[in-house]
Structure formats: C-alpha cells, structure tokens
Amino acid sequence: SGTAFVLGCNTAVHPERARQALGYMSQRFSLYANMTVRENMMFYGGLYGLSREERRTRVAEVIARMQLTDRADVLAGGLSGGQKQRISVARALLKDAPILVLDEATAFPAPEAEADIQAALTRLVQGKTVLVIAHRAASIAGVDQIAILDAGRIIALGTPDQLADHPYMRCMSATAKGH
C-alpha cells in the first residue's frame, strides 16, 4: 500500500498520464513469430499511440541504434534468444518515454549478446531515468544509484561504490563469477 508518483503525477488519480511517461521491458518478452522485426516494432508502436509517420521514424531510428538493420525484415520466429531480447529492448525504447523500466533486460542472452545489449542501452538512454530490475551484477554496470529491496522495502540505497560491500551486492558478484 502507499502512493506512487511518476514525474509528479499520482498514479492512482491519473494512471494514463503516468503510463505515458513510462517505457517498459518485461523479463517475459514476446514477439509475433510470423511477423518481421520491423512489423513487430510497427505493431507495438501503434499500441503505444504513435502515428504511422512517428512509427516509421522511431522504428527506423531504434532499429539502427540497436544495430538490428540486418535483421529488420527477418521473421521474429527465426531469431536467437539474444536477438529477440535485443528487439524487446528496442521495442521498449520506441515510445521515447522519459522513464524506462527494464525488468531483467540482459538476463538471458549469451555473454557477447549481453555486452552488446548493455552497450546499446548505454547509448540509447542518455537523458532518461532508467530503473533496472536485476539479479546479476553485470546487468547494473554503469548505474548511478542502486536501491536494494527486500520484501518490497528499500533496505539500502547508494552509489555502486557505497554499496559494494553490502551482502546482496557481494552475493550478486559471486553469482556472476559462478561461485
């Protein structure tokens, strides 16, 4: 229970206004297998309320910036898991919302794909507030602030340096090293 505000907007009073300020990528992403990457992106852009011209522009921009140009006209069903994940991140960026929520955005791809997704995100999120939900240390590389939650409550808040010795951070690092 409680009250949530997004850019000063009470989410209970004005949920649609708050929703418009958010871009979101779920850890359980989905794409239409029988549609191309571009068609998937155009479809979701329409769901986000973008006009046809805005969709064309944003889809072309995001596909290029996520380095997906060579995959734009490939059916999504034929892509690797890492490629699908990259497309899902691109889809979340279509809306160009000021706040981006990434729920385990780099949790599943191969290590080289994870590094590519992380590099693309770093380039694409300049000037945005990004909330990263992660269980692995590699997923939060380069963040400014970390909030550690336990049972829905913030139990620690600080910079990566300030929280480096926190038990949760040590656990994340040990897991990343395979210990």
Side-chain angles (χ1 to χ4, degrees):
S1 70
T3 305
F5 289 86
V6 174
L7 297 177
C9 179
N10 185 322
T11 60
V13 177
H14 301 287
E16 192 55 39
R17 226 185 306 167
R19 217 175 280 121
Q20 289 302 314
L22 297 171
Y24 177 69
M25 181 197 161
S26 169
Q27 70 179 11
R28 295 185 189 221
F29 53 87
S30 63
L31 298 169
Y32 289 96
N34 61 340
M35 293 170 64
T36 67
V37 169
R38 187 183 323 275
E39 290 167 341
N40 267 284
M41 301 282 281
M42 290 292 287
F43 174 75
Y44 281 99
L47 293 179
Y48 297 153
L50 301 177
S51 71
R52 185 178 258 323
E53 191 54 41
E54 287 173 317
R55 279 184 277 166
R56 281 191 191 124
T57 302
R58 289 292 301 153
V59 166
E61 177 185 313
V62 172
I63 283 175
R65 293 184 79 190
M66 286 295 290
Q67 300 172 338
L68 292 164
T69 307
D70 62 329
R71 298 277 183 229
D73 297 310
V74 173
L75 290 177
L79 301 172
S80 71
Q83 291 167 336
K84 288 177 183 176
Q85 194 150 12
R86 179 181 277 189
I87 292 159
S88 293
V89 171
R91 189 177 77 200
L93 294 166
L94 267 181
K95 198 167 150 183
D96 200 23
I99 300 171
L100 185 60
V101 179
L102 302 175
D103 187 358
E104 299 288 357
T106 61
F108 302 110
E112 61 278 358
E114 179 179 17
D116 288 345
I117 292 170
Q118 200 70 43
L121 279 170
T122 300
R123 287 191 311 274
L124 291 168
V125 299
Q126 298 298 319
K128 297 184 182 304
T129 297
V130 182
L131 301 174
V132 180
I133 301 162
H135 292 88
R136 297 173 342 108
S139 299
I140 58 170
V143 301
D144 298 321
Q145 289 279 325
I146 297 171
I148 299 174
L149 284 79
D150 188 10
R153 299 200 185 284
I154 296 174
I155 61 168
L157 181 65
T159 67
D161 286 343
Q162 290 169 332
L163 297 179
D165 290 327
H166 192 281
Y168 277 71
M169 296 301 291
R170 287 196 312 265
C171 180
M172 284 178 76
S173 295
T175 301
K177 294 174 186 170
H179 297 340

